[in-house]
Amino acid sequence: MTSFESDGGAGLHGDFGLLSPVSASPFVAALTGDRAVLAAILQVEAAWAQVLEVASLTPAGSAAVVAAAADVSRYDVVDIAVRAQGGGNPVIPLLADLRAQIRALDTGGIGADLAVHASLTSQDVLDTALMLLARDALRGLFTELVAATSALSALAEQHAETLCVGRSLTQHSLPFTFGLKAAQWFAGLAAAARRLGAIELPVQAGGAAGTLAAGTVLTAGIAVTPFDLADRLAAGLGLAPVPAPWHTNRLAVTALGDALAAVTDAAGKIAADVLFLSRPEVAELAEPRAAGRGGSSAMPQKQNPVLSVLIRSAALQAPGQAAQLHLAAANFNDERPDGAWHSEWPALRQLLRLALGAAGQLRELAEGLQVFPGAMRRNLGLSGPLLLSEGVSAAVAPLLGPDDSGHTGKQQLQAVVDQALRAPASEQASTYRRLLRAAVPDEKLSDARLEELLDPANYLGLAAEISRRILAAYPEYAGTAAGAPDASPTPDLNGASRG
């Protein structure tokens, strides 16, 4: 055995996430690491042994022996990983070790090893194990998502009237509220979470070629069918039952991957906004401070928005991993594929890691986000009354008849805007106000009415109502801020969300 294959070598050569800081945490590692994968495989084998014993297909007491042998601490994860190269998947070497453990524990000589893996194939076990891994990861993910969405809904309500500037194609567009921005952040994340909560995580039990042939032999002469055994395995593991094996129909995997990518998409949108709005020249937001975070190796004065940087890094990686799942699914040839299945495993696990890591960072960001209304109002004022030109045109153009050149009221007001924009930036606001006053007779538009039209607080449309409708659409994610008591969704046993 080489030093890499030994337990000591794992400490020297293991992957701890140095190049993946967004997901480098004990929390993520515990849910998605190699030990968690091995534990899930063992859980499947132990559950199957229980199913077979209940059906009187194996000796009484064998399931207890298998369960005792299925303790993950009994196994050398590094050694199994290296030996997996011999058969192309980790189930094969693990089975050899599991049977050895069972024989050592079967002191009564009941033949408990007969209960292991009977009528199953490696893909049955690993597909089911990865669904278990996903199920447990989703539970952790939902904890983070519910906390993040609750914080965002609170921001939306707290800042329902906080004025800021809306931006489109990088330019100032219209008056906006930070409450609506936070509500839209919430909408994206809550919708993604709800979609993820609807995902079903199915059991797999099709046998060597998906025909249940070995299961038919196993159950010959009894009232239980291979389908019954598969359904009982699903129930025992808390996964979704299926009408048939899905060895080469990978919608369950691609749907899960797409839903995870949607979570990182939503998180990435929030991070992108925070990254821009926390720039010193904008300064409308700031990330929560924490000791040891955000510093620079060279510039002592810098406070980098590291949470948003890490979230964005996950959002940029996740679509490629989801695409890999689709690429694999499209190449699941024959009844059991040659390589496409294998390429699926790391992509799915990385998506789980990225979503978990991003959600954890997002939760901290949302719960501690610093909002600076004064800076928002300052930036809103940069465009001055020109920002209200759309509303002014809608209200004033009907008051103006054609001028001597036949220009309509709307065309006359556009000319006012165009002329103001030709002035130096520091004079554009005053130029627009002066030209607008000169273009509209006092008897058609009083000074008081003009000031109303040029007040950004009066041109917010239905921003407040849009925010309210968004929060009301996702009460299970809005938390107490939106009056949704005890509505924290968590994945149920087969991955679906329950309020």
Side-chain angles (χ1 to χ4, degrees):
M1 180 178 290
T2 67
S3 61
F4 175 77
E5 293 170 306
S6 69
D7 285 331
L12 293 174
H13 302 289
D15 181 353
F16 301 103
L18 283 177
L19 300 182
S20 261
V22 68
S23 56
S25 78
F27 172 68
V28 176
L31 290 171
T32 63
D34 281 354
R35 187 166 292 275
V37 174
L38 202 66
I41 295 172
L42 290 166
Q43 187 179 352
V44 174
E45 293 288 1
W48 185 244
Q50 179 66 33
V51 167
L52 295 183
E53 182 176 329
V54 170
S56 301
L57 294 170
T58 55
S62 58
V65 178
V66 175
D71 181 350
V72 71
S73 66
R74 294 176 174 272
Y75 300 90
D76 183 340
V77 180
V78 177
D79 177 56
I80 291 170
V82 172
R83 287 160 55 209
Q85 297 178 61
N89 73 72
V91 177
I92 296 171
L94 178 58
L95 279 174
D97 294 354
L98 176 60
R99 289 187 173 111
Q101 290 284 343
I102 291 170
R103 286 191 290 271
L105 292 171
D106 189 8
T107 55
I110 62 174
D113 59 327
L114 298 174
V116 175
H117 206 69
S119 81
L120 297 180
T121 192
S122 297
Q123 187 172 350
D124 292 334
V125 176
L126 192 52
D127 276 353
T128 303
L130 290 177
M131 292 298 103
L132 285 179
L133 188 83
R135 189 266 313 275
D136 293 342
L138 291 186
R139 287 174 170 165
L141 177 57
F142 267 75
T143 298
E144 304 297 337
L145 291 177
V146 169
T149 52
S150 295
L152 292 174
S153 69
L155 283 172
E157 292 203 333
Q158 180 182 351
H159 293 282
E161 298 181 1
T162 300
L163 289 176
C164 64
V165 64
R167 298 172 175 92
S168 63
L169 280 71
T170 76
Q171 304 300 299
H172 287 194
S173 56
L174 291 175
F176 210 73
T177 67
F178 181 67
L180 180 53
K181 183 179 287 289
Q184 291 289 10
W185 290 348
F186 166 87
L189 194 63
R194 182 180 284 178
R195 174 182 176 184
L196 185 63
I199 292 294
E200 284 196 339
L201 303 174
V203 74
Q204 179 79 279
T211 64
L212 295 170
T216 303
V217 174
L218 182 68
T219 57
I222 65 173
V224 176
T225 70
F227 297 113
D228 296 328
L229 297 180
D231 289 347
R232 292 176 185 180
L233 178 63
L237 292 172
L239 297 176
V242 291
W246 48 279
H247 286 158
T248 57
N249 299 317
R250 308 308 288 179
L251 182 60
V253 176
T254 57
L256 173 58
D258 290 344
L260 290 167
V263 169
T264 60
D265 289 347
K269 156 61 180 171
I270 298 169
D273 281 350
V274 173
L275 286 168
F276 171 75
L277 295 172
S278 63
R279 289 173 179 263
E281 62 270 25
V282 181
E284 295 182 10
L285 300 176
E287 290 193 351
R289 295 201 172 210
R293 186 175 66 215
S296 165
S297 64
M299 294 165 281
Q301 85 285 0
K302 286 192 72 182
Q303 185 65 36
N304 295 317
V306 175
L307 294 174
S308 296
V309 168
L310 294 180
I311 294 167
R312 189 162 188 259
S313 77
L316 293 172
Q317 294 176 70
Q321 302 296 335
Q324 175 59 46
L325 295 180
H326 285 281
L327 181 62
N331 286 278
F332 261 64
N333 58 315
D334 301 327
E335 281 59 60
R336 298 275 303 286
D338 51 359
W341 179 51
H342 305 72
S343 71
E344 197 181 66
W345 316 332
L348 178 59
R349 178 163 70 169
Q350 184 63 2
L351 274 170
L352 290 168
R353 287 176 166 174
L354 290 170
L356 280 165
Q361 307 285 347
L362 181 59
R363 173 182 184 172
E364 186 174 356
L365 176 64
E367 290 180 339
L369 188 66
Q370 300 178 71
V371 181
F372 304 115
M376 292 178 177
R377 191 62 189 249
R378 179 199 68 215
N379 293 333
L380 175 64
L382 292 177
S383 294
L386 278 165
L387 199 68
L388 285 303
S389 59
E390 179 193 66
V392 168
S393 180
V396 176
L399 305 178
L400 301 176
D403 62 12
D404 294 340
S405 300
H407 295 136
T408 65
K410 184 174 182 180
Q411 289 173 325
Q412 295 172 52
L413 293 174
Q414 182 62 54
V416 169
V417 172
D418 293 342
Q419 189 172 347
L421 290 174
R422 287 194 290 269
S426 61
E427 300 175 13
Q428 288 178 359
S430 60
T431 299
Y432 175 69
R433 185 184 292 270
R434 175 175 53 80
L435 293 175
L436 179 61
R437 180 67 282 178
V440 187
D442 291 351
E443 63 270 18
K444 293 186 177 182
L445 183 70
S446 68
D447 287 343
R449 176 58 179 152
L450 179 59
E451 289 307 311
E452 288 179 5
L453 291 173
L454 296 180
D455 184 348
N458 293 330
Y459 198 62
L460 294 172
L462 297 176
E465 178 62 12
I466 293 170
S467 294
R468 188 200 66 76
R469 287 170 66 90
I470 287 173
L471 298 183
Y474 301 95
E476 71 271 34
Y477 292 102
T480 56
D486 193 27
S488 297
T490 55
D492 70 12
L493 291 179
N494 68 17
S497 171
R498 288 179 178 172

